[in-house]
Amino acid sequence: MLLSRAFQPVSMLLLLVPYTLAVTAGLLGTSAGNRNFGIVFVWIVWWAVLMVLLVPGLGRAWCTVCPIPAPGEWMQRRGIIGGVVKLRGMGLRWPRRFRNMWVQNAGFLIMALFSTVILTRPSVSAAVIVGLTGVAVGMSLLFEKRTFCKYVCPVGGFIGLYSMVAPIELRVRDAQVCVEHRSKDCITGNENGYGCPWMVYPGKLGRNLDCGLCTECLKTCTMDNVVINLRRPGADLAQPVPGKRIDEAFKALIMLACSIIYPAVLFGPWATIKEWAAIDSFGGWLIYAVGFLTATVVVVPGLYWLAVARGHRRSSSNLTVRRAFNEYSHALIPLGLAAWIAFSVGFALTNGSYALAAISDPLGWGWNLFGTRDVAWTPYLSGAMPFIQAAILVSGLFFSLRTSLKVGLRRDPSGATTVQTTTPIAAFLLAATLILLWMYLG
Amino acid sequence: MSQQDPTPTSRRPIHAGRVGLLLLVLAVLLVPVPTSHTPRTHHITIDASQFEYSPSRLAINQGDTVHVTLASSDVVHGFFLDGYEIEHRVEPGISQEFTFVADRTGKFHYRCSVTCGPLHPFMIGELVVGPNELVWRASGLAIIAVGAMLAGARQRRSV
């Protein structure tokens, strides 16, 4: 199935149906978010499926089927399924200085600043989805291949980061086969498929972060050397972080900070903060925005930097603190993902029953297509939820600690300074976990 | 033949550590928290308005009886108490009264169950029924995880 040229475009086409319905409902349907298909299916159903099932279970599988880049990609390819053709568009290369996650980090923060409005106002939610699609189409005309997905998409950034936890990977069987294979069809493409749309050379692919799971290399590899493996969850996290850039570490820190702020703002009992976040007044939102950005970009990364620096001082390593900051950022990923799963599980099980009404009456106009319009709101597992969230968070901490120790042992295989270097990082992870536990349970 | 296998003796501290860790985890999870609280009755008026409850956080003890007078000061609101599955609807000017015994400990959200505006899904208050064992036990597990991980690394190094 994965080798069929129809697999990816047909999946995208199928998802364009709920996508179109979500946008239509957002623009034309009821303004009551919990009765509007656009809000219920995007921010309750899709979000929960993404964060609870797809990312931890299948990594970047969502990027395989995401409909947002589909129109742009089909314009480049001059068709939806069809044969492999020369790509249309200007094919410009993305500027070198932006070939990192900073644009994605900025995009995510901008969306996060307005997230309370986005996930409660159907028209705003629809405008954001249409806007992202417009940017994706525009970039497909200007830039080569999936430049939007790789460097700009604010969702793709954190999906890629957390996909490193997933128990599946696309890799080559034998890297030496790739070295010796001169035609490099996975890069250039051939009659069976396009050269990697994510501009990745599979022969050197070491982490899920970089691979969009588009399956083109499975089709183009004439050596049958590309495979999808089952593996130990989180196997990528023990790999070194390539380069000296700290954009990836910042992505992990921003996501962890947001996973703490979101439940406080949305699930907490503080109505004033909710009103600020929902832009009831510009002054209130400004206070919220300054606080949010200070916490996500300054306070949490600053505290983590201090933790890494303190441990680094006691190590025998001759690497810089910046490099250590980067290397240990993998330890933030399991806890960050666990925090997002705890958030998403709580939100989805509490509000998931709205989906039954919304599917029968997607626009909130009184239709009753499947006879479920009047199904009453019912929170599921409300009594068990704190236990579920506690288990998820403590498990996330456990895997983060393991990762930090593995990174420490990789940097100092003798283990002589591992405890000293990782203790401050463990303290940082513990503090984040305790804050999350007290927010959900305390 | 005379050479002895060093593994059993060198692993002994690790096994002892694991047993100790298991006992510690079981203690944190299972040891009952002693309480000497005499149950009492609380009369609480909760005012619902877009998109908040006042008071937004209540703290009581297990076994207490809670008599709630629920009022709305703007539009129709609902009240659903997680974990207790208590649900009521309140219209402006017509208060609702109900009573329940707080027999389950922990933190429980009370949330609006009648669509009341854009922030409706986030109209939430908190009821904390003490002793809130779950948060202490979960925090204890988190601290043990850190301690065990670091102690394990230290032990592995010394072995």
Side-chain angles (χ1 to χ4, degrees), chain A residues 31-149:
Chain A
S31 62
N34 58 314
R35 292 284 167 193
N36 188 301
F37 184 91
I39 293 290
V40 172
F41 268 81
V42 175
W43 299 119
I44 299 175
V45 177
W46 169 76
W47 180 262
V49 169
L50 179 75
M51 295 311 285
V52 180
L53 301 175
L54 287 182
V55 173
L58 296 171
R60 276 216 194 246
W62 172 254
C63 299
T64 310
V65 297
C66 176
I68 286 178
E73 187 164 76
W74 295 338
M75 286 168 75
Q76 283 182 339
R77 294 178 180 180
R78 288 175 276 175
I80 294 179
I81 300 175
V84 178
V85 296
K86 187 174 186 308
L87 294 176
R88 192 159 60 177
M90 293 178 69
L92 300 175
R93 299 203 71 194
W94 187 243
R96 183 175 290 275
R97 80 178 74 155
F98 295 128
R99 284 183 212 159
N100 48 49
M101 295 182 97
W102 287 118
V103 175
Q104 289 176 316
N105 288 345
F108 180 83
L109 284 172
I110 292 168
M111 277 186 70
L113 270 180
F114 296 96
S115 58
T116 307
V117 179
I118 293 171
L119 61 90
T120 55
R121 308 269 180 181
S123 56
V124 179
S125 178
V128 168
I129 296 170
V130 170
L132 281 174
T133 310
V135 174
V137 169
M139 287 190 64
S140 297
L141 298 175
L142 283 174
F143 295 100
E144 58 181 336
K145 302 177 175 179
R146 291 280 199 111
T147 297
F148 168 80
C149 300

Side-chain angles (χ1 to χ4, degrees), chain A residues 128-426:
Chain A
V128 168
I129 296 170
V130 170
L132 281 174
T133 310
V135 174
V137 169
M139 287 190 64
S140 297
L141 298 175
L142 283 174
F143 295 100
E144 58 181 336
K145 302 177 175 179
R146 291 280 199 111
T147 297
F148 168 80
C149 300
K150 183 163 181 172
Y151 297 117
V152 176
C153 178
V155 178
F158 70 78
I159 292 180
L161 187 82
Y162 290 142
S163 71
M164 292 196 281
V165 173
I168 69 160
E169 62 180 13
L170 182 144
R171 296 289 186 275
V172 296
R173 281 186 226 273
D174 181 354
Q176 192 57 32
V177 171
C178 297
V179 171
E180 289 165 9
H181 186 216
R182 303 188 72 169
S183 64
K184 302 279 189 288
D185 297 46
C186 55
I187 299 173
T188 60
N190 58 27
E191 67 282 5
N192 297 319
Y194 290 92
C196 179
W198 289 69
M199 297 156 282
V200 170
Y201 170 45
K204 287 196 171 172
L205 187 61
R207 301 184 304 159
N208 284 359
L209 177 73
D210 304 310
C211 170
L213 281 184
C214 66
T215 69
E216 290 294 340
C217 58
L218 283 168
K219 300 173 182 98
T220 55
C221 181
T222 54
M223 310 301 287
D224 193 24
N225 195 36
V226 182
V227 287
I228 293 181
N229 298 321
L230 273 176
R231 63 173 194 183
R232 188 170 42 78
D236 290 354
L237 301 178
Q239 302 287 325
V241 181
K244 295 174 184 171
R245 301 179 341 224
I246 55 171
D247 52 314
E248 197 182 308
F250 256 84
K251 167 58 77 184
L253 286 158
I254 288 168
M255 293 307 295
L256 181 64
C258 286
S259 75
I260 295 172
I261 295 170
Y262 270 39
V265 172
L266 297 174
F267 302 157
W270 305 289
T272 307
I273 301 177
K274 288 187 226 280
E275 284 164 7
W276 290 349
I279 324 184
D280 263 20
S281 68
F282 179 72
W285 178 78
L286 203 59
I287 295 170
Y288 172 73
V290 170
F292 179 86
L293 290 176
T294 306
T296 51
V297 181
V298 181
V299 176
V300 174
L303 289 172
Y304 180 68
W305 181 281
L306 288 176
V308 172
R310 191 170 170 79
H312 187 70
R313 216 181 308 148
R314 300 173 187 175
S315 79
S316 54
S317 168
N318 53 4
L319 293 177
T320 61
V321 177
R322 183 188 170 97
R323 187 69 198 227
F325 179 82
N326 218 12
E327 295 260 314
Y328 279 106
S329 67
H330 272 178
L332 303 163
I333 292 172
L335 180 62
L337 179 59
W340 278 103
I341 293 174
F343 172 84
S344 307
V345 162
F347 189 54
L349 288 178
T350 302
N351 297 296
S353 60
Y354 286 130
L356 296 170
I359 200 160
S360 269
D361 186 15
L363 302 176
W365 286 356
W367 300 349
N368 197 3
L369 299 174
F370 305 104
T372 55
R373 181 193 62 196
D374 299 319
V375 169
W377 169 76
T378 311
Y380 302 114
L381 300 175
S382 73
M385 190 55 61
F387 295 92
I388 295 170
Q389 288 169 324
I392 291 168
L393 291 171
V394 174
S395 305
L397 172 67
F398 178 78
F399 284 106
S400 276
L401 291 169
R402 267 178 57 129
T403 305
S404 70
L405 280 182
K406 280 183 185 169
V407 173
L409 283 169
R410 196 185 65 233
R411 296 181 71 222
D412 175 12
S414 74
T417 57
T418 307
V419 175
Q420 288 93 325
T421 51
T422 52
T423 298
I425 293 161

Side-chain angles (χ1 to χ4, degrees), chain B residues 85-119:
Chain B
E85 317 284 314
I86 294 168
E87 186 171 9
H88 287 276
R89 174 190 167 95
V90 60
E91 294 180 22
I94 309 169
S95 58
Q96 296 286 320
E97 295 188 25
F98 57 92
T99 302
F100 67 97
V101 176
D103 52 1
R104 301 182 65 176
T105 61
K107 179 160 100 174
F108 305 93
H109 287 118
Y110 43 95
R111 52 179 92 242
C112 187
S113 55
V114 176
T115 304
C116 62
L119 287 181

